[in-house]
Amino acid sequence: MINEIAEILAARSLKTAYPLELPTMDDIVEAHEAMLISVPADFRGYLLHSSNCIYGRLEPVTVADRNSHTYLPEVAAEAWSRGMPREMIPLCVDGDNVYCVAEDGEVFLWEGDDDMESVAEDVWQWVRDVWLES
């Protein structure tokens, strides 16, 4: 199922003159060390294999380019400073809301304060049900 979702995302991804790069495992380790929080396995898989995809209006986090506005450690620092629980890792900022990933891989929508709603069992389900539907 994961490969199917990744293939659909890749097929729908916008082709650009300057495509995004996929990260290396070293990039992910660097991001992990910068945030001092472990990235769940499904989230790592997404980052390694599909974080170069551009689709729809949502812009999920990336780790290959430290200068990008979607660079995970910077997005995390901003979300945590706004009050998102420190144990959550941002997946995608959507206006004032943040889709974020729990330690067990479950994806939540954080809408500020203590307002959190489960939206997907894992990152790949979020890709299928939220991002590809945006």
Side-chain angles (χ1 to χ4, degrees):
M1 179 160 143
I2 292 169
N3 289 337
E4 268 179 44
I5 297 168
E7 287 174 12
I8 292 167
L9 179 59
R12 294 185 186 178
S13 181
L14 182 66
K15 308 304 181 227
T16 64
Y18 301 101
L20 298 175
E21 291 183 26
L22 283 172
T24 64
M25 192 54 155
D26 287 343
D27 292 327
I28 293 173
V29 168
E30 210 171 278
H32 157 80
E33 290 172 350
M35 296 184 303
L36 301 173
I37 190 168
S38 183
V39 178
D42 280 344
F43 197 176
R44 277 194 313 270
Y46 160 76
L47 289 168
L48 285 168
H49 303 291
S50 296
S51 63
N52 64 335
C53 293
I54 300 170
Y55 177 78
R57 65 175 186 79
L58 296 177
E59 294 182 277
V61 296
T62 59
V63 293
D65 180 0
R66 292 170 155 243
N67 297 315
S68 174
H69 68 283
T70 57
Y71 184 60
L72 177 56
E74 296 298 323
V75 174
E78 173 64 25
W80 292 331
S81 75
R82 290 183 29 226
M84 188 181 81
R86 182 67 174 84
E87 67 274 6
M88 304 300 282
I89 304 173
L91 170 60
C92 181
V93 175
D94 184 13
D96 290 334
N97 303 323
V98 180
Y99 290 99
C100 51
V101 182
E103 188 177 342
D104 67 359
E106 187 174 0
V107 179
F108 291 83
L109 177 61
W110 178 70
E111 299 175 298
D113 299 322
D114 295 328
D115 202 6
M116 300 238 329
E117 170 190 353
S118 176
V119 294
E121 291 179 18
D122 58 45
V123 170
W124 293 107
Q125 184 184 23
W126 178 86
V127 168
R128 184 191 68 206
D129 296 346
V130 177
W131 189 15
L132 287 173
E133 296 300 319
S134 69

